[in-house]
Amino acid sequence: MIQTKLIPRTTEAHEPPMLIKNLLAQSLKYEPQREIVYRDLFRMNYVEFNRRVRQLANTLTDLGVGPGDTVAVFDWDSHRYLECFFGVTSIGAILHTVNVRLSPAQILYTMNHAQDKVVLIHEDFLPILNAIKDQITTVDTYVLLSDKVYADPNAGGDVPAGFSGEYEALVKGASDQYEFPDFDENTWATTFYTTGTTGNPKGVYFSHRQLFMHTMGLLTYIIGYEAMSFKGSSDVYMPITPMFHVHAWGFPFLATMMSAKQVYPGRYEPELLLKLLITEGVTLSHCVPTIMNMLVNSPAAQKYRENLSRWKVLIGGSALTKGLAKAAMDLGITISQGYGMSETAPVTAIVYLNEQEKQLPIDEQIDLRTRAGRVSPFVEMRLMDDDGNFVPHDGQSLGEIVVKCPWATQGYYNDPERAAELWKGGWLHTGDVASITPDYWVMIADRTKDVIKTGGEWVSSLDMEDALSQVEGVAESAVVGLPDDRWGERPHALIVQKPGFNLTADSIKAGLQAKVEQGELHKWYVPDRIVFVPEIPKTSVGKIDKKKIRSEMKDLILGTVV
């Protein structure tokens, strides 16, 4: 380490820590009259929001929550969840955003592993709790979250046994005076659990400093460089990514700091999402391809197409195909892709079109918008081969993406072995294979476990899915490699077709083969078998579940051609 000269410190000088409470404080400075909206049930301005956050802090303190304790939340995307992002963390407690789409057994594991002390749970998830409650070991009490109280204030009076009360009643009954303290910026702020291919879910965790810096990274790229052109004065934010999934990609922290108008849709319903888009003037969202596919194929999308031209959507979680991008852009939606993972909080790249690229024809823009993005500010990203050597950024050479950034998790809670594997060699290993161009464009080839090795060639399942997405009548597709005695592996595809189409495996293969003969596709990109299915298996966060496809659907794929 080099020798440097440090700035002299004095006991009187104040060096403010990077804390989540300081993001919240900005929301009252400039546009406190802007609104936070929950479905068609509740709305408030930032003055009331700040008051309610302080009341939540007092409520939690009254329930025995102190610094270092863990508070778990089961909820749809809501204003209550947003209040917890700030109210739980700013008293020095840890927010556990529970993935409600995990199995009950996995949820039980995460709650006991995180040592949850107080649980805030929406009434819709009570059946999950009732199935595992007797096996939960650390929880002292529960708080009911109910939507009924917004129509009838008396509706929340009937709370289950063992609950301390209903959220609205407890918050409204608490004092609105609370002075959030200063503490070390490296204090643990949040935790959530991410599933892998083997073993129990892994506990990812983040400090106040990491979430503060992630917000600054978004601020720089989204607002400073205008990668998504998000202006608090004219833009309205609505997440369509669950708030349990990496803090809704960190955007609620940014939107709150900017006192932008925010809309929280609760449970995702296509008609309501589109209604909120129109009535509340939503201009910025983020979601996984599954949700966007559902929206663009909804009959209501055609009805509202004239109102979608202001909507900007960031896609992540899974690859954005050219077919889906074109369908969205045909509706007037400005769509782009981003890249990251749970362990990176998550954003490490977002599509950024420079002045020259913005002038390109739409078809050429789609090629860029479906890339993983350009490397985000403050992120160091490299490519590494199997021997730990760096791979050149020439847009052709492939390697595993490894990163360093101020907001990457330090590891997995109480799991030093997998944490050491994550940070092997001092770089966070993503498990994604990609190329990077000299001008910082990231192009994902595949997950390391999903790349198909056939006849000595590495074939990207993502590229194959992208080709299938451009076949008229294909709504969704998934491609996996399965063992083959001659070639090692061969690609097999699952297809969901759009209503009104009568596709066949032979017609799809013929169309792909024509592109091969024209030099547009590699010869290996025609799948051996194509199976039509009503839906593609998905993970708890809406990604294509290729592990499940390979295991549970192996017999179907190998035994059936439709």
Side-chain angles (χ1 to χ4, degrees):
M1 183 174 292
I2 65 170
Q3 294 295 316
T4 59
K5 188 172 184 179
L6 300 178
I7 294 176
R9 295 177 180 271
T10 62
T11 56
E12 294 81 7
H14 176 57
E15 186 175 319
M18 299 179 188
L19 298 176
I20 291 172
K21 71 163 188 173
N22 294 326
L23 300 177
L24 175 66
Q26 312 313 310
S27 67
L28 285 174
K29 288 184 177 178
Y30 310 112
E31 302 289 349
Q33 79 288 348
R34 289 190 182 136
E35 290 186 310
I36 297 169
V37 179
Y38 175 53
R39 293 173 74 87
D40 52 359
L41 299 173
F42 182 85
R43 59 203 312 131
M44 60 181 163
N45 62 24
Y46 276 92
V47 174
E48 185 176 359
F49 174 71
N50 275 261
R51 179 176 58 79
R52 285 172 58 93
V53 170
R54 295 191 299 270
Q55 288 176 302
L56 173 59
N58 278 311
T59 298
L60 294 172
T61 302
D62 293 342
L63 292 175
V65 176
D69 290 331
T70 304
V71 177
V73 176
F74 292 68
D75 198 6
W76 306 112
D77 291 2
S78 73
H79 64 297
R80 295 173 301 237
Y81 225 141
L82 187 65
E83 289 161 5
C84 289
F85 272 28
F86 294 93
V88 174
T89 57
S90 294
I91 65 174
I94 301 164
L95 175 65
H96 175 195
T97 57
V98 178
N99 183 342
V100 297
R101 295 174 183 160
L102 295 178
S103 70
Q106 289 175 317
I107 290 174
L108 172 65
Y109 170 81
T110 67
M111 294 179 70
N112 287 337
H113 191 261
Q115 300 178 301
D116 296 338
K117 182 171 184 176
V118 172
V119 177
L120 283 60
I121 183 166
H122 191 282
E123 55 203 352
D124 287 354
F125 305 118
L126 289 178
I128 298 175
L129 178 63
N130 292 336
I132 62 176
K133 193 173 181 181
D134 292 343
Q135 302 171 72
I136 297 172
T137 58
T138 62
V139 174
D140 290 344
T141 191
Y142 301 85
V143 173
L144 180 68
L145 309 178
S146 173
D147 285 353
K148 299 184 181 73
V149 298
Y150 301 115
D152 177 5
N154 299 317
D158 186 19
V159 299
F163 279 59
S164 293
E166 185 275 323
Y167 182 91
E168 282 296 329
L170 291 172
V171 167
K172 288 181 179 178
S175 169
D176 64 0
Q177 299 301 304
Y178 196 103
E179 188 71 29
F180 291 118
D182 275 351
F183 42 76
D184 192 307
E185 64 189 26
N186 294 301
T187 296
W188 190 350
T190 66
T191 190
F192 56 85
Y193 285 75
T194 180
T195 56
T197 55
T198 59
N200 289 316
K202 305 183 292 290
V204 179
Y205 51 89
F206 295 95
S207 68
H208 282 254
R209 183 183 190 278
Q210 288 171 318
L211 297 180
F212 189 101
M213 285 302 299
H214 185 267
T215 306
M216 295 302 105
L218 285 178
L219 179 70
T220 303
Y221 210 15
I222 299 295
I223 298 170
Y225 288 102
E226 294 191 347
M228 292 288 292
S229 186
F230 181 41
K231 296 181 174 64
S233 59
S234 56
D235 281 298
V236 178
Y237 165 69
M238 181 174 74
I240 318 180
T241 303
M243 297 179 79
F244 66 71
H245 188 215
V246 207
H247 325 107
W249 301 355
F251 279 80
F253 291 118
L254 175 65
T256 300
M257 185 191 74
M258 294 174 60
S259 55
K261 182 179 178 180
Q262 302 185 62
V263 179
Y264 288 87
R267 185 172 187 165
Y268 299 156
E269 300 161 358
E271 285 281 354
L272 179 63
L273 288 172
L274 288 167
K275 178 183 176 183
L276 291 171
L277 277 168
I278 306 309
T279 59
E280 300 296 342
V282 173
T283 61
L284 178 68
S285 297
H286 47 78
C287 67
V288 296
T290 306
I291 297 292
M292 178 54 64
N293 193 65
M294 177 183 71
L295 287 171
V296 299
N297 288 303
S298 166
Q302 295 299 328
K303 182 169 65 175
Y304 296 128
R305 63 179 300 138
E306 292 184 5
N307 304 96
L308 297 177
S309 60
R310 295 182 64 230
W311 195 28
K312 296 160 285 192
V313 182
L314 180 67
I315 296 291
S318 296
L320 171 63
T321 63
K322 293 183 179 68
L324 180 55
K326 186 175 187 306
M329 294 179 76
D330 285 347
L331 289 169
I333 301 167
T334 301
I335 194 166
S336 300
Q337 188 160 207
Y339 170 73
M341 59 190 298
S342 296
E343 290 83 348
T344 59
V347 176
T348 56
I350 292 177
V351 164
Y352 173 82
L353 301 182
N354 61 29
E355 291 181 5
Q356 292 75 29
E357 292 160 343
K358 288 176 183 176
Q359 309 305 315
L360 293 172
I362 292 299
D363 286 348
E364 293 182 45
Q365 283 196 25
I366 286 178
D367 287 339
L368 296 175
R369 290 182 182 277
T370 52
R371 293 180 177 183
R374 272 191 163 111
V375 180
S376 298
F378 314 121
V379 173
E380 188 176 358
M381 184 179 293
R382 303 289 294 275
L383 300 174
M384 190 175 284
D385 65 19
D386 291 341
D387 296 322
N389 302 309
F390 289 124
V391 174
H393 294 184
D394 56 14
Q396 301 294 325
S397 303
L398 294 177
E400 182 191 7
I401 295 176
V402 295
V403 300
K404 293 178 182 178
C405 59
W407 46 83
T409 187
Q410 298 296 301
Y412 300 118
Y413 180 50
N414 276 348
D415 195 346
E417 185 174 324
R418 286 199 283 188
E421 183 180 349
L422 178 71
W423 277 99
K424 182 173 57 179
W427 289 82
L428 188 148
H429 289 253
T430 67
D432 290 315
V433 176
S435 61
I436 300 177
T437 68
D439 53 349
Y440 301 98
W441 278 106
V442 183
M443 296 173 289
I444 305 293
D446 222 330
R447 293 288 292 170
T448 53
K449 61 180 178 292
D450 293 332
V451 174
I452 302 167
K453 190 170 186 180
T454 179
E457 297 283 342
W458 288 102
V459 176
S460 166
S461 67
L462 300 183
D463 286 349
M464 294 188 69
E465 289 160 5
D466 190 61
L468 288 167
S469 78
Q470 298 174 68
V471 175
E472 188 178 8
V474 171
E476 282 189 284
S477 66
V479 176
V480 298
L482 291 175
D484 183 272
D485 291 339
R486 181 180 181 187
W487 301 110
E489 281 187 316
R490 285 296 295 148
H492 302 265
L494 297 186
I495 297 287
V496 177
Q497 60 180 322
K498 295 178 180 178
F501 285 84
N502 189 25
L503 300 173
T504 67
D506 287 343
S507 68
I508 292 176
K509 287 184 181 181
L512 295 176
Q513 186 61 42
K515 291 193 173 185
V516 170
E517 293 169 1
Q518 293 165 11
E520 296 178 31
L521 288 178
H522 192 285
K523 66 179 181 178
W524 297 113
Y525 279 49
V526 180
D528 269 20
R529 289 176 173 84
I530 294 174
V531 177
F532 293 95
V533 294
E535 62 180 0
I536 303 290
K538 304 290 196 314
T539 68
S540 62
V541 293
K543 299 179 183 179
I544 294 175
D545 192 341
K546 295 193 175 180
K547 176 187 174 185
K548 184 174 183 179
I549 293 171
R550 279 189 292 263
S551 60
E552 296 184 8
M553 304 188 75
K554 183 175 179 180
D555 292 340
L556 172 65
I557 297 175
L558 291 178
T560 308
V561 179
V562 180

